[in-house]
Amino acid sequence: MHGLPKPYAIHPAYMDQLCPKCGSTDTRNKTVDDGTKISTFKCVPCGYTTHADINTSRNIALKGYFYNQVYKDTSADDKKKTKQLFTNFIKSFIIDG
């Protein structure tokens, strides 16, 4: 695997509830099934909506990138603030809405 980063096991907890716009993991953030075969993620605090599967997969991919590229170079003091670092990081990748 020349040139590829070391693989990490990414725990998917809360990735389906994470809003990439405001960083909320409010338990009320949910996938809305409107009777079609397309599920929509809706953030309660900020109202952001997007395709639920895209939101979750993007969050998992960005979490992997975060731990592989950003977190490893973070100082010990800043690692204590990991959740906020990750939230700020993921919010910088908002691509729709």
Side-chain angles (χ1 to χ4, degrees):
M1 293 199 319
H2 180 69
L4 295 176
K6 176 184 167 191
Y8 284 84
I10 299 301
H11 197 290
Y14 306 108
M15 293 295 99
D16 61 334
Q17 295 176 357
L18 176 63
C19 176
K21 186 170 185 179
C22 73
S24 169
T25 54
D26 192 310
T27 57
R28 297 173 297 161
N29 290 351
K30 60 185 174 192
T31 300
V32 179
D33 185 358
D34 60 3
T36 65
K37 293 188 176 184
I38 300 172
S39 297
T40 303
F41 168 83
K42 178 159 176 66
C43 178
V44 173
C46 77
Y48 175 77
T49 60
T50 189
H51 188 286
D53 293 338
I54 291 172
N55 184 60
T56 302
S57 60
R58 177 178 52 204
N59 288 343
I60 291 170
L62 288 174
K63 187 175 183 180
Y65 181 83
F66 172 80
Y67 281 102
N68 194 24
Q69 299 297 320
V70 178
Y71 186 77
K72 71 177 185 171
D73 296 327
T74 303
S75 71
D77 290 338
D78 285 341
K79 285 184 179 180
K80 295 174 186 173
K81 305 173 197 167
T82 300
K83 183 176 181 182
Q84 188 59 47
L85 284 171
F86 177 64
T87 299
N88 291 341
F89 172 79
I90 210 163
K91 284 167 47 177
S92 71
F93 280 90
I94 187 87
I95 56 172
D96 58 349

